[in-house]
Amino acid sequence: MASLLYIHGFLSSPLSAKAQQVEHWLLLNRPDIAYHCPQLPPYPDQCADILDGVIKDIIAKDNSEKHNIYLMGSSLGGFWATWLAERYQLKAVLINPAVNIETLMPDYIDIDLKNYHHNDIYRLSEQDIKGLFSYRVDRLTTLNNYWLLTQTGDETLDYRLAVERYKGCHQTIEEGGDHSFQKFERFIPQALNFFEGKPFR
């Protein structure tokens, strides 16, 4: 059985709009695909352990020789999806992914951070940020494993950095939009085609 792991962004949750859209679409259209979207803390080592544990658990429960595991990551979730894609040689759809974490993340040190969807409060240290850097992938080994979806109107991240970072990968660059990636749901069927090696443009 195929599995899709959706990785939400920084301070987000499985209640995010895109995570909900993917879950509902799969339920209605592809119930043969198991959906996974764990709640992730902003602490990098904990986050890595949770994500790695999900992948290992899927593999352990799958009796087939080929493990069909698909990754979707939004914003910082795109950073983590890239790490997993390289670690396990998986395909990943990246939605307005965070690339320049070295300039973004220090702004979040030593301040109270509230989750967007519930009342959890977090506080990151300088050591946490350094830990996040250790999960950065320096070189993409299989360019065809990635599909970048980005909108030029992203008010949070510079889309051009993602375009450069994933140069040579499949890319869809839309004018306008915003960081949430407007009307994302129209790409879900195409994402499944990409994962399954079918035409997806």
Side-chain angles (χ1 to χ4, degrees), residues 172-189:
T172 297
I173 306 166
E174 290 193 339
E175 291 294 322
D178 56 28
H179 186 60
S180 70
F181 200 99
Q182 294 182 10
K183 300 180 180 178
F184 160 75
E185 65 275 12
R186 65 203 148 98
F187 282 101
I188 299 173

Side-chain angles (χ1 to χ4, degrees), residues 92-112:
V93 171
L94 313 170
I95 308 128
N96 282 338
V99 173
N100 58 327
I101 58 169
E102 62 277 1
T103 56
L104 283 173
M105 298 308 293
D107 291 342
Y108 296 100
I109 294 176
D110 291 332
I111 60 174
D112 286 339

Side-chain angles (χ1 to χ4, degrees), residues 19-58:
Q20 293 282 293
Q21 287 167 352
V22 173
E23 182 178 17
H24 292 158
W25 188 92
L26 290 175
L27 187 63
L28 291 174
N29 299 281
R30 293 297 302 271
D32 57 305
I33 297 176
Y35 176 75
H36 304 266
C37 183
Q39 175 65 59
L40 300 172
Y43 308 111
D45 288 343
Q46 291 181 28
C47 187
D49 285 346
I50 291 170
L51 292 171
D52 199 47
V54 170
I55 299 296
K56 288 179 177 176
D57 189 55
I58 292 171

Side-chain angles (χ1 to χ4, degrees), residues 35-89:
Y35 176 75
H36 304 266
C37 183
Q39 175 65 59
L40 300 172
Y43 308 111
D45 288 343
Q46 291 181 28
C47 187
D49 285 346
I50 291 170
L51 292 171
D52 199 47
V54 170
I55 299 296
K56 288 179 177 176
D57 189 55
I58 292 171
I59 293 173
K61 292 178 179 178
D62 187 357
N63 295 322
S64 63
E65 291 185 9
K66 181 175 174 57
H67 305 291
N68 294 317
I69 304 172
Y70 313 138
L71 304 173
M72 276 190 181
S74 173
S75 193
L76 190 62
F79 170 90
W80 286 112
T82 302
W83 175 68
L84 286 176
E86 292 296 324
R87 187 171 174 83
Y88 290 98
Q89 283 301 297

Side-chain angles (χ1 to χ4, degrees), residues 18 23 26 42 100 107 113 122 124 133 136 143 161 184 187:
K18 291 189 293 296
E23 182 178 17
L26 290 175
N100 58 327
D107 291 342
L113 303 167
Y122 314 103
L124 296 175
F133 297 160
R136 177 181 167 86
L143 299 182
L161 297 175
F184 160 75
F187 282 101

Side-chain angles (χ1 to χ4, degrees), residues 105-136:
M105 298 308 293
D107 291 342
Y108 296 100
I109 294 176
D110 291 332
I111 60 174
D112 286 339
L113 303 167
K114 186 177 183 299
N115 189 282
Y116 297 138
H117 301 112
H118 49 71
N119 293 322
D120 285 4
I121 302 294
Y122 314 103
R123 201 171 182 90
L124 296 175
S125 68
E126 185 174 350
Q127 193 60 38
D128 288 322
I129 303 304
K130 289 180 180 178
L132 183 62
F133 297 160
S134 70
Y135 293 99
R136 177 181 167 86

